[in-house]
Amino acid sequence: MDALLVINAGSSSLKFQAFAISGPSNLTCLIRGQVDGIGVRPRLRASLATTGEMTDQRYEPGEIADVPSAMAVARNWLESQGLTFVAVGHRVVHGGPEFDRPALIDHAVVDRLERYVPLAPLHQPNNLAPIKALLKNRPDLPQVACFDTAFHRHHGALADHFALPQAYYDEGVRRYGFHGLSYEYVADQLARSAPDVADARVIVAHLGSGASMCALKHGHSIESTLGFTALDGLPMGTRCGQLDPGIVLYLLNQKHMAAAEIETLLYHGSGLKGLSGQSNDVRELEASPNEAAQFALEYFVYRIGLHAGMLAAALDGLDAFVFTAGIGENSATLRFRIGARLNWLGVTIDAAANLAGLPVISTPASRVKVYVIPTNEELMIARHTLALLSARASPPLQQRRISG
């Protein structure tokens, strides 16, 4: 069966989904899975979208030592299931100032995307690794890069600038925002299920190991908590979030730390892990009696409340609030605590609906509607990939006959 493959590569895991193409915009997920524990305890897990688990395979560390080898294992296994891939779509975190929409990948595009590795050192190298592997091994296979920054690229100048000389903005030092594929998917879901809300003033909280918030007006991003890099805004699993830049100068000049040491501290040793001294996993922190663990969670909730106020100011009010991503979708406790912080904005959480994880968790009397919407970045990537390649193909890609 011809299929479209979507890859979302991280430092220690590679997520994938395979989609059947059955119409101009009709994509059906066939298989979803991931290779995790790369280089340590590699494990391939995959399931049919319709019936559940179909494989769970473990490997020696040397068998899947890096992201390209994980890509090869995943692709070989998928092809053993009778799938033939006509294209691959990739999540790429940073598109810089030049990529404001999905792009067909070639070596020149990869070279341009390499420039943004310093702006997203946790993500960009791993996003590019499977792309480069496929360019080498399957140069005939069309690949499309879909960018987390693209959804935010039409912010107004006030939201887009730092208070630095214009020359820095012109060379690309500006507020980009991230998690755009997730926000785009949520905006689309709101337009389908709650069009009156989708056209209003909405804050979306993408709360996971990486966390940010986005202000939507008429379904478009107008402001975000993340900026030039993925370090800004909310505290995250291991990243610091908003930080006085003078602290970096202090670490350089007074603590005599090298730039690489500071980068490691801010990206890997801060956030919930740094505050708790224990873990970056919210589930572990919620279960812990440790005072520092509870402080880390309270700090997380507090900063979300502060940034919600900022985004509500950018929107001139608030009509709806959406929780999404791993923590937002799964932690009823944190949703309730965040809702209590937002009571002054008109948020009232229905405790029973929240505990049950219903799509709407606000009370009928709440001035602000509160939703839980599971994100699906992979589907968004598949849609963009299909649209771009169909526009270029002759005959159009979506008109190809799919046979099983």
Side-chain angles (χ1 to χ4, degrees):
M1 175 186 287
D2 284 352
L4 189 154
L5 176 62
V6 169
I7 295 295
N8 185 345
S11 58
S12 61
S13 68
L14 183 141
K15 298 178 184 177
F16 58 85
Q17 289 191 32
F19 294 85
I21 308 165
S22 55
S25 58
N26 191 2
L27 290 154
T28 303
C29 182
L30 301 170
I31 295 174
R32 58 171 58 92
Q34 67 180 48
V35 182
D36 53 26
I38 294 172
V40 183
R41 290 186 296 274
R43 183 180 184 186
L44 167 65
R45 286 176 289 175
S47 59
L48 289 170
T50 52
T51 60
E53 185 175 298
M54 58 188 300
T55 191
D56 187 343
Q57 301 179 21
R58 299 175 187 271
Y59 299 82
E60 293 299 318
E63 293 181 271
I64 305 180
D66 52 25
V67 171
S69 59
M71 174 74 228
V73 166
R75 183 167 60 86
N76 290 338
W77 181 83
L78 286 163
E79 289 175 348
S80 76
Q81 305 305 304
L83 298 180
T84 300
F85 294 109
V86 297
V88 183
H90 299 267
R91 178 193 178 206
V92 178
V93 164
H94 215 304
E98 56 183 319
F99 292 100
D100 62 354
R101 65 198 67 190
L104 188 63
I105 294 168
D106 57 23
H107 288 285
V109 167
V110 171
D111 289 344
R112 285 147 66 191
L113 293 176
E114 292 272 14
R115 302 173 192 170
Y116 309 122
V117 168
L119 307 188
L122 284 186
H123 302 91
Q124 199 85 347
N126 299 303
N127 299 157
L128 296 180
I131 291 173
K132 291 188 282 189
L134 283 173
L135 276 175
K136 178 181 178 181
N137 299 318
R138 286 290 309 276
D140 58 311
L141 186 63
Q143 298 187 77
V144 173
C146 301
F147 303 99
D148 260 343
T149 50
F151 187 64
H152 306 290
R153 282 301 315 284
H154 303 290
H155 282 176
L158 292 176
D160 216 23
H161 276 69
F162 292 106
L164 293 169
Q166 181 65 27
Y168 290 97
Y169 180 87
D170 293 340
E171 69 180 49
V173 180
R174 58 187 73 175
R175 296 182 60 84
Y176 290 101
F178 299 91
H179 296 131
L181 292 162
S182 176
Y183 293 128
E184 187 178 11
Y185 178 80
V186 169
D188 180 74
Q189 289 299 104
L190 278 175
R192 294 168 187 263
S193 61
D196 55 328
V197 170
D199 207 34
R201 301 164 299 183
V202 181
I203 292 174
V204 183
H206 177 105
L207 306 179
S209 180
S212 70
M213 296 163 69
C214 177
L216 299 178
K217 185 177 283 188
H218 306 301
H220 298 286
S221 170
I222 67 162
E223 183 60 272
S224 170
T225 59
L226 281 170
F228 181 56
T229 71
L231 276 177
D232 202 4
L234 303 178
M236 304 173 223
T238 63
R239 284 172 268 168
C240 58
Q242 186 180 36
L243 192 74
D244 180 345
I247 293 174
V248 177
L249 299 178
Y250 171 80
L251 296 175
L252 282 168
N253 298 326
Q254 305 303 317
K255 302 294 288 185
H256 306 294
M257 292 176 67
E261 291 179 281
I262 296 173
E263 181 176 273
T264 298
L265 170 65
L266 301 185
Y267 275 101
H268 299 282
S270 301
L272 297 178
K273 181 180 179 181
L275 285 170
S276 69
Q278 178 179 335
S279 175
N280 63 324
D281 190 320
V282 162
R283 293 165 296 187
E284 292 182 20
L285 298 179
E286 286 181 329
S288 174
N290 187 291
E291 185 176 333
Q294 296 312 306
F295 176 78
L297 292 175
E298 186 58 33
Y299 183 85
F300 186 57
V301 170
Y302 174 68
R303 301 303 296 187
I304 290 169
L306 288 182
H307 283 277
M310 177 192 77
L311 295 178
L315 289 165
D316 297 319
L318 185 63
D319 300 303
F321 191 95
V322 180
F323 289 99
T324 194
I327 298 169
E329 295 169 24
N330 296 301
S331 177
T333 301
L334 284 188
R335 288 198 301 261
F336 191 83
R337 291 168 68 175
I338 292 165
R341 277 277 177 191
L342 303 182
N343 184 255
W344 68 277
L345 278 170
V347 170
T348 308
I349 299 293
D350 182 314
N354 177 51
L355 196 60
L358 298 182
V360 179
I361 61 169
S362 49
T363 66
S366 180
R367 295 200 312 273
V368 173
K369 281 196 169 184
V370 183
Y371 297 83
V372 179
I373 299 179
T375 193
N376 194 335
E377 295 161 305
E378 287 78 16
L379 178 57
M380 210 70 242
I381 294 166
R383 288 174 179 171
H384 283 309
T385 300
L386 177 60
L388 177 60
L389 294 178
S390 293
R392 291 171 172 263
S394 180
L397 185 66
Q398 73 266 22
Q399 290 180 10
R400 296 183 183 180
R401 181 176 179 271
I402 306 301
S403 60

